[in-house]
Amino acid sequence: MAATVEIGSFISQRPDFWEGWPHITGTGVTVASIGILRNEGRSAEQIAHDYSLSLEQVYAALAHYFANRAAIDAQVEAYDAETDRIAEQAKATNGSSLR
């Protein structure tokens, strides 16, 4: 009989890595990034190929993403808003010092 794999072992979440974002264990690839790529129309096979992941890793990330979609999408939206705010602040600071 073939050994079974615990599906939960594919996803990790640590406060000291990626600010606590869930990610594929042993990689720097976040569940959110896999969800975003899928939402953009990429297939699981394309994602696995492009990021050197196994299909098992990609499907585990997709399962986690879809099970927690609202929370992950809100986290991505907050991250994007903060990134935009910081960029605007840097732009304003750099623009004012050039005058």
Side-chain angles (χ1 to χ4, degrees), residues 12-23 75:
S12 298
Q13 191 168 3
R14 301 186 338 235
D16 64 329
F17 188 78
W18 267 109
E19 298 181 6
W21 290 49
H23 60 279
Q75 190 175 20

Side-chain angles (χ1 to χ4, degrees), residues 9-70:
S9 67
F10 287 107
I11 305 300
S12 298
Q13 191 168 3
R14 301 186 338 235
D16 64 329
F17 188 78
W18 267 109
E19 298 181 6
W21 290 49
H23 60 279
I24 298 173
T25 303
T27 76
V29 181
T30 64
V31 168
S33 64
I34 298 296
I36 289 167
L37 292 167
R38 183 67 182 110
N39 290 339
E40 290 175 348
R42 291 215 191 151
S43 69
E45 291 79 7
Q46 288 173 313
I47 297 168
H49 177 267
D50 292 349
Y51 289 84
S52 300
L53 300 169
S54 69
L55 276 176
E56 293 88 345
Q57 289 173 307
V58 173
Y59 281 118
L62 288 171
H64 188 87
Y65 172 73
F66 285 115
N68 299 283
R69 187 175 192 164

